[in-house]
Amino acid sequence: MNFLTLISLFASTAAAQSGAYGQCGGVNWTGATTCISGWTCTYQNAYYSQCLPASSTLATSTSKPATSATHASTSASASATSTSGLTQFAGVNIAGFDFGCTTDGTCIITGTNGPYPPLPAYGGPDGPGQMSHFVKDDKMNIFRLPVGWQFLVNGVLGGTLNSANLSEYNALVQDCLSTGAYCIIDIHNYARWDGGIIGQGGPTNAQFVSLWTQLATYYKSDSKILFGIMNEPHDLTVSTWAQTVQAVVTAIRQAGATSQMILLPGSDYTSAGSFISDVSAAALAAVKNPDGTTTNLIFDVHKYLDSNNSGGGGDCVTNNIADAFQPLATWLRSVGRQALLTETGGISSSACATYMCQQIAFLNQNSDVFLGYVGWAAGSFATTYALSLTPTDNNGVWTDQPLMKECFVR
């Protein structure tokens, strides 16, 4: 066999195999079903098998070939026994206190177009019942609780926490904590207040730091609170934004919240797909605790499965692995850091179930760098909302949305 023939044969053989951490099976998968030398095709769920190091796979893990089935459901128990690990966290957003907030940082705080607390005591849906169901029946252990900055301070920029409004929001936080789950305080303002970018011509860093100093002081004794600095910053100078994030981290720690996780959000609506390319990764990697460490400083990312990563673009078209989560996993390992996916979602369709289950399987298999995932969204969202994960309650019997049952539950 001559040299050129040998090279040609090698290339064709390599092309027929998936590379390290590549997909090698699952519903509708038409690619390679074997892996390069030293890697084993390991079953994750019906929608996703992945090439993993042969030495790291569980003895009980099994490889399964691609299937042409149009749709299949996978129980949480089957998924759990077929993977070599699960992420630490799995959960859902309990929305409502963020209603009325738009991407320019404008938040209506009163009236029918403003916050709709997912609390029966305040005329809203049964958020506490939902969380209890998610924990007991679906084995979830984290909830993200979005809220508008304006609501917490009753519209006074730089002001103190409004006691009445904080009491409402804290009722949801305490209901969350009572389930035993972890609870994310999420300021849902897109790095803005009424159109002005924080620290970049809008609110000052000091005004934003004031908010977080008060919140950290209030919740510093709750070990299961996570501080989500800001929902989906966008269209800003990343290096300057990182300075704002640093100021907030320092303030939270100095307020006495020394051990809780703090979620660091980048630009481009916190997209996992552009976290590296828009230099959010590099800028935020420099953010430190006052003692110089990065302990419990976790990168905050979002990723939807439609064509424009908005969650509003219709059906799902990608599992986000090759263009987002695999590159991010590689970078996270290179710097010894971790990330948490705090928003992801899709409509109820066969395509979304396929891609979402693949995405979550990848996160589970790479749980050394991905702490978990939090779906969008339940709480005050009606079950008719396209991305709704709100379960229905029939005399105390809760029924999950199809996508929740297929992919999100443990």
Side-chain angles (χ1 to χ4, degrees):
M1 183 182 294
N2 64 39
F3 179 75
L4 291 178
T5 302
L6 180 62
I7 292 296
S8 176
L9 179 60
F10 175 80
S12 63
T13 301
Q17 296 178 310
S18 286
Y21 298 106
Q23 185 173 356
C24 55
V27 171
N28 295 328
W29 174 248
T30 59
T33 58
T34 59
C35 304
I36 58 176
S37 177
W39 298 74
T40 299
C41 187
T42 306
Y43 176 78
Q44 305 299 306
N45 61 33
Y47 300 94
Y48 189 67
S49 293
Q50 182 184 26
C51 290
L52 299 174
S55 61
S56 70
T57 56
L58 289 181
T60 55
S61 297
T62 58
S63 297
K64 295 192 177 183
T67 173
S68 60
T70 57
H71 195 58
S73 62
T74 305
S75 69
S77 59
S79 177
T81 57
S82 301
T83 62
S84 60
L86 292 173
T87 57
Q88 179 180 352
F89 298 122
V92 66
N93 281 261
I94 304 297
F97 278 103
D98 57 312
F99 285 15
C101 291
T102 57
T103 59
D104 68 350
T106 299
C107 292
I108 300 170
I109 59 176
T110 59
T112 57
N113 293 322
Y116 185 31
L119 294 163
Y122 296 99
D126 188 7
Q130 293 179 31
M131 290 188 285
S132 178
H133 153 69
F134 286 133
V135 170
K136 293 178 181 178
D137 300 330
D138 297 338
K139 311 308 178 188
M140 292 188 163
N141 61 358
I142 192 168
F143 300 104
R144 184 169 178 254
L145 312 176
V147 63
W149 181 2
Q150 287 91 330
F151 178 80
L152 290 174
V153 295
N154 204 35
V156 180
L157 179 60
T160 58
L161 297 173
N162 180 269
S163 59
N165 293 355
L166 177 62
S167 178
E168 285 190 32
Y169 180 67
N170 184 55
L172 183 65
V173 175
Q174 296 306 317
D175 284 327
C176 175
L177 291 170
S178 71
T179 67
Y182 286 78
C183 310
I184 303 172
I185 307 296
D186 162 52
I187 303 302
H188 215 78
N189 275 72
Y190 305 89
R192 287 158 167 77
W193 174 292
D194 294 347
I197 302 173
I198 301 168
Q200 301 183 37
T204 65
N205 283 350
Q207 289 169 326
F208 191 44
V209 162
S210 173
L211 170 72
W212 272 112
T213 297
Q214 294 176 75
L215 287 170
T217 300
Y218 195 83
Y219 289 110
K220 65 183 180 182
S221 62
D222 292 298
S223 62
K224 290 192 171 183
I225 291 289
L226 288 77
F227 299 112
I229 289 179
M230 178 56 63
N231 175 72
E232 296 190 347
H234 64 91
D235 298 294
L236 44 69
T237 301
V238 176
S239 59
T240 305
W241 171 245
Q243 295 172 18
T244 300
V245 172
Q246 178 65 76
V248 172
V249 167
T250 300
I252 289 173
R253 296 306 191 212
Q254 290 180 343
T258 57
S259 62
Q260 292 93 335
M261 294 183 188
I262 303 177
L263 306 183
L264 314 182
S267 188
D268 197 22
Y269 297 91
T270 6
S271 172
S274 58
F275 190 73
I276 298 171
S277 62
D278 70 11
V279 304
S280 292
L284 293 176
V287 174
K288 301 289 195 297
N289 291 308
D291 64 2
T293 69
T294 58
T295 304
N296 285 330
L297 300 184
I298 308 301
F299 299 118
D300 189 357
V301 296
H302 293 176
K303 200 74 178 79
Y304 287 88
L305 287 72
D306 53 354
S307 59
N308 62 3
N309 188 41
S310 70
D315 209 355
C316 300
V317 298
T318 177
N319 59 22
N320 294 314
I321 295 172
D323 61 349
F325 291 112
Q326 181 62 77
L328 182 55
T330 299
W331 179 81
L332 288 167
R333 289 191 183 99
S334 74
V335 296
R337 301 292 293 275
Q338 295 175 309
L340 178 62
L341 177 63
T342 60
E343 277 191 31
T344 188
I347 66 174
S348 291
S349 73
S350 176
C352 284
T354 297
Y355 289 131
M356 183 62 76
C357 287
Q358 291 172 349
Q359 175 180 280
I360 289 177
F362 182 85
L363 298 178
N364 282 330
Q365 194 56 54
N366 293 272
S367 59
D368 60 317
V369 290
F370 294 116
L371 287 181
Y373 51 89
V374 188
W376 185 266
S380 292
F381 278 113
T383 56
T384 54
Y385 167 54
L387 303 183
S388 179
L389 294 176
T390 304
T392 58
D393 176 19
N394 185 13
N395 296 320
V397 177
W398 292 90
T399 302
D400 282 319
Q401 295 289 334
L403 193 63
M404 176 68 74
K405 288 189 287 188
E406 291 284 349
C407 303
F408 284 95
V409 300
R410 290 290 196 172

